[in-house]
Amino acid sequence: MPLQADLDAIDWKILRELQADGKMTNVELSRRVGISAPPCLRRVKRLEEAGIIKGYRALLNSPALGLDVVAFCLVGLHHQSEAELKAFAEQTQHWPIVRRAWMVSGDSDFMLHCVASDLTTFQTFVIEELTSARGVDTVRTALTIRQVKDEGLVSIKQ
C-alpha cells in the first residue's frame, strides 16, 4: 500500500518547507505549516521513520569551492547482464568526481553526474578511468554551460 495515501495536507506542507530549507527549527516549521511544535515534530519523525524523508544535507556552492566543471556522462556497457550492471554501479561508488549516478534505459546504461575542479581533471577522469573501466563500451559526455534551474528533487504542489 503506497504511503502517499497516508499523507495529509499538513504532511505535504512539511515536506515542501523542509525541501526548501531543511535547516529551519521545528518551531519555525510548525509556524509555517500552521500547527504547534510538538505535533509538527511527531509528524517529521513519522515521515523520517517511513523513509519519506531520507536525510538532510548542506547544499554546497561548487564554484565557490573551486569546482567549476559540471558534466554528465552517458555510459554504455558491452553487456547488460545483472552482474555487469551491478559491477559498474559498484565502481561508481569509488569515483569521487561522480556525485550522482543512475541506471537508465535507452541507448545508454548509466548516466553519471560529475563535478570537477577544471576541464583537464574531468577529461583525465573520462579518459583514464571511465573509458577504461571494466565492461565500458561507450562514453558520451555533455558539459554544462550554466545551471538554469535548481529546486528540490520532488515537485510538491499546494
Side-chain angles (χ1 to χ4, degrees):
M1 138 172 137
L3 185 59
Q4 181 175 344
D6 295 337
L7 300 179
D8 65 15
I10 298 293
D11 292 327
W12 283 108
K13 286 179 183 177
I14 288 170
L15 293 173
R16 185 183 66 237
E17 293 297 333
L18 286 177
Q19 184 171 242
D21 180 6
K23 191 177 177 185
M24 78 177 74
T25 66
N26 183 58
V27 171
E28 176 62 17
L29 177 61
S30 67
R31 186 191 65 72
R32 289 186 188 187
V33 301
I35 61 175
S36 64
C40 185
L41 184 59
R42 283 193 297 274
R43 284 173 177 262
V44 170
K45 294 290 184 203
R46 182 178 62 81
L47 292 166
E48 290 170 349
E49 290 167 2
I52 300 294
I53 297 174
K54 293 184 355 178
Y56 301 89
R57 293 181 178 170
L59 300 175
L60 306 181
N61 181 340
S62 301
L65 297 170
L67 300 166
D68 293 320
V69 174
V70 177
F72 291 89
C73 298
L74 292 168
V75 180
L77 302 182
H78 288 292
H79 305 287
Q80 290 73 35
S81 69
E82 186 174 347
E84 294 275 336
L85 294 168
K86 282 183 177 180
F88 185 81
E90 173 60 29
Q91 182 63 39
T92 66
Q93 302 300 315
H94 304 288
W95 291 323
I97 201 168
V98 175
R99 304 313 306 155
R100 304 187 88 183
W102 298 266
M103 188 181 299
V104 296
S105 64
D107 293 337
S108 300
D109 299 304
F110 287 88
M111 182 169 66
L112 310 179
H113 173 208
C114 302
V115 179
S117 57
D118 53 64
L119 188 55
T120 300
T121 300
F122 174 69
Q123 290 171 326
T124 300
F125 163 73
V126 170
I127 294 166
E128 295 181 8
E129 294 188 61
L130 185 55
T131 60
S132 64
R134 188 174 142 256
V136 171
D137 182 33
T138 60
V139 175
R140 292 183 303 145
T141 62
L143 293 171
T144 64
I145 296 169
R146 173 184 311 129
Q147 186 174 33
V148 297
K149 186 174 183 178
D150 183 15
E151 293 190 38
L153 297 178
V154 177
S155 174
I156 300 175
K157 295 174 174 55
Q158 281 189 329

